[in-house]
Amino acid sequence: MRRGVSSLAIALMAFSIYAASASARTPQKRTPQAAAQTRVVPPTLPVTGASLLLSGTKTPLWSRNGNARLAIASTTKMMTALVVLQHVRNLNTVFTQTDWRAEPADSQIGLIPGEQMTVHALLVALLLPSADDAAEDLAFNVGDGSIPRFVAMMNADARRLGLDHTHYTTPIGLDTTGNYSSPDDLVRLADYMMRNWPFFQRTVRLPSAVLKSGRYERHIVNTDDLVAKYPWILGVKTGHTREAGYVLVAEGRRDGFTLLASVLGTSSEENRDSSALALLNWGFADFRVIRPVRAGQRIARRAVPYEATPVAILAARGYRTVVARGAHSRLLVGRLRKLRGPMAKGTVVGQLRVAIAGRRAVSIPLILARRLPAVSLLQRLGHFIKQPFTLLVLALLLGGAAAVLAQRRRRPKVVALRRVEER
C-alpha cells in the first residue's frame, strides 16, 4: 500500500512539472489588455490641437483634438497652391499684380500693382515667406478676376479630398469667419501635396530662394526654419495669426518611413518648433515599420485532385504599416476554396487576415500561383485506379478470380481419377 501511494505521488509530481514546463513553452495569447500595454505615451505639448500621420495613410497614429475646427492661419496656403497647380500647367505663365495691397504687418514680398511675375515665382513666394500679396495675385488671376470663385475651388477640392472638417473663406489664411481646418485634415492635405505634386515637395524644403521680376530681385527665406536646421525635415508650412497662434505642419523622414505632424495654437515660434520636433521625434522613437506580408509571398501549398504537384497560394498584395514598438503581427489563413480545375492563375481562393497586437488590421486576398487545367475523364479514371482503396479492391478481385480459375483447373483431374477407380 505504501509503495502504491509513493508511486502515485511521484506520478503526480512528474505530471505537474511537465505541465508547468509545457505552459512556459506555449506562447500566451495576447489579450486586448496585453495589446494595450504596447501603446506608447505621447509627449506633453503646449498646443490646442495636434496630429501625427504616417505618410500614405488616412488615419493618424495619434491626435489631440484631431477633428476640432480651428483657425489655421497661413497653412491655408497649401490649398491655395493646390488649386493653382491644378489650373496652371505652365508655371512660366506670367500674372500681373492687382491693385491690392497687403497691410504693413502682413507677410509679403512687396509686389507693386501692375508688376509682372511668373506663377513659378509667385508660388515660391506663397510657400516660403508665406507672402499674402502673392496669394492674392494667384487667387485673383486663377479665379478669372474673382477671389470668391477661387475660394469656391478651394472648398470643392477640400470636399474631393475628404477633408470633412475644413472650410475656406480666404486664399491667404487671415482670421476670417468660416476659415478653418483640423489637425487631422492638415496632415492629410500636406501628405497629399507632398506625395502628388513634385514642385510643391521641392519648394517647401528650400531654406531660401531668389525671385526675379523684371529689374526686381528678392531674396526670400523659408519661415519654416526647421528645414535649414534638420536634414531629415522635408517641409511643409507655417502660419501665424492672433486667433490661430503659431501653427506648423512638418514632414520628416527617418528609419525608412515618413511622418507628418501638425501643431496648432502654440504661443511662439519656439514653442511651435519644439512641439513639432517633439511629436516627430516621439513618432520615430516609439513606432517602427513592419511588413508582415509582401506581394506575391507564398502563404501555403495545397494538394490538388488529379495534380501531381501541389499548387502555391500567394498573397495578392503586400501590407506595410507602422506600429508601436513591442507590437507583433500574426498571419491567419482563412478557409480556402475547393481547388479543382479549370481555375485561372490569380484566381482568389481565400483571405489572409493580418493581426497587429492581437487585433485584426487588414484582409488580403489569396490567389493561385498557377493555372489549374480542366480534368479529363481519362485523368479521373487513372486517378481513381491509383487510389489505395481501389488498388486493394482490384487486388482482391484479381486474387479471387485467380483462385476460381485454379479451382476449375483442378476439377477435371479429380473426375478422371474417380473414373479410373470405378473401373
Side-chain angles (χ1 to χ4, degrees), residues 58 67 79 155-166 182 184-185 188-189:
K58 296 295 183 184
N67 290 330
M79 182 61 78
N155 286 315
D157 278 332
R159 292 191 296 271
R160 177 178 62 83
L161 295 176
L163 307 179
D164 298 329
H165 304 280
T166 297
S182 70
D184 288 357
D185 278 2
R188 291 185 186 113
L189 174 59

Side-chain angles (χ1 to χ4, degrees), residues 26-208:
T26 303
Q28 298 299 309
K29 183 179 180 181
R30 296 181 62 84
T31 62
Q33 290 78 11
Q37 293 176 3
T38 64
R39 297 184 65 182
V40 286
V41 179
T44 300
L45 303 175
V47 300
T48 56
S51 185
L52 182 69
L53 180 75
L54 170 67
S55 179
T57 65
K58 296 295 183 184
T59 303
L61 298 171
W62 173 89
S63 64
R64 178 185 299 168
N65 295 327
N67 290 330
R69 296 177 175 182
L70 304 173
I72 57 171
S74 286
T75 55
T76 298
K77 294 184 174 90
M78 291 192 295
M79 182 61 78
T80 303
L82 173 59
V83 174
V84 172
L85 288 168
Q86 289 179 138
H87 289 82
V88 183
R89 296 299 181 183
N90 182 3
L91 297 186
N92 291 319
T93 302
V94 175
F95 282 170
T96 301
Q97 173 67 5
T98 67
D99 58 359
W100 183 88
R101 290 182 180 272
E103 296 294 329
D106 291 346
S107 175
Q108 55 179 304
I109 57 172
L111 288 173
I112 300 170
E115 182 178 351
Q116 294 187 323
M117 183 175 281
T118 64
V119 172
H120 182 286
L122 288 168
L123 283 170
V124 175
L126 175 85
L127 296 171
L128 266 57
S130 198
D132 292 351
D133 46 0
E136 185 74 15
D137 191 358
L138 289 166
F140 181 84
N141 283 281
V142 174
D144 292 329
S146 171
I147 299 297
R149 183 182 291 116
F150 185 87
V151 171
M153 296 177 189
M154 296 171 69
N155 286 315
D157 278 332
R159 292 191 296 271
R160 177 178 62 83
L161 295 176
L163 307 179
D164 298 329
H165 304 280
T166 297
H167 186 266
Y168 301 102
T169 54
T170 167
I172 296 173
L174 299 175
D175 289 333
T176 58
T177 302
N179 197 82
Y180 57 79
S181 189
S182 70
D184 288 357
D185 278 2
L186 282 179
V187 288
R188 291 185 186 113
L189 174 59
D191 184 45
Y192 174 82
M193 295 297 296
M194 294 294 278
R195 289 188 300 110
N196 292 280
W197 294 95
F199 171 83
F200 181 92
Q201 182 190 62
R202 291 192 303 269
T203 300
V204 295
R205 68 185 306 173
L206 294 173
S208 62

Side-chain angles (χ1 to χ4, degrees), residues 304-357:
V304 183
Y306 315 111
E307 289 276 333
T309 306
V311 64
I313 308 298
L314 311 179
R317 56 184 173 82
Y319 179 61
R320 175 181 179 271
T321 188
V322 167
V323 299
R325 294 190 184 274
H328 299 284
S329 63
R330 186 182 178 191
L331 303 181
L332 304 169
V333 178
R335 186 174 181 179
L336 297 177
R337 286 175 53 187
K338 187 174 183 179
L339 303 181
R340 179 171 296 178
M343 297 179 80
K345 177 182 178 180
T347 298
V348 176
V349 295
Q351 293 291 322
L352 175 69
R353 295 189 298 275
V354 181
I356 307 293

Side-chain angles (χ1 to χ4, degrees), residues 372-386:
L372 298 181
V375 181
S376 67
L377 182 60
L378 187 60
Q379 285 177 301
R380 293 175 186 270
L381 182 60
H383 180 79
F384 176 76
I385 291 173
K386 291 178 183 178

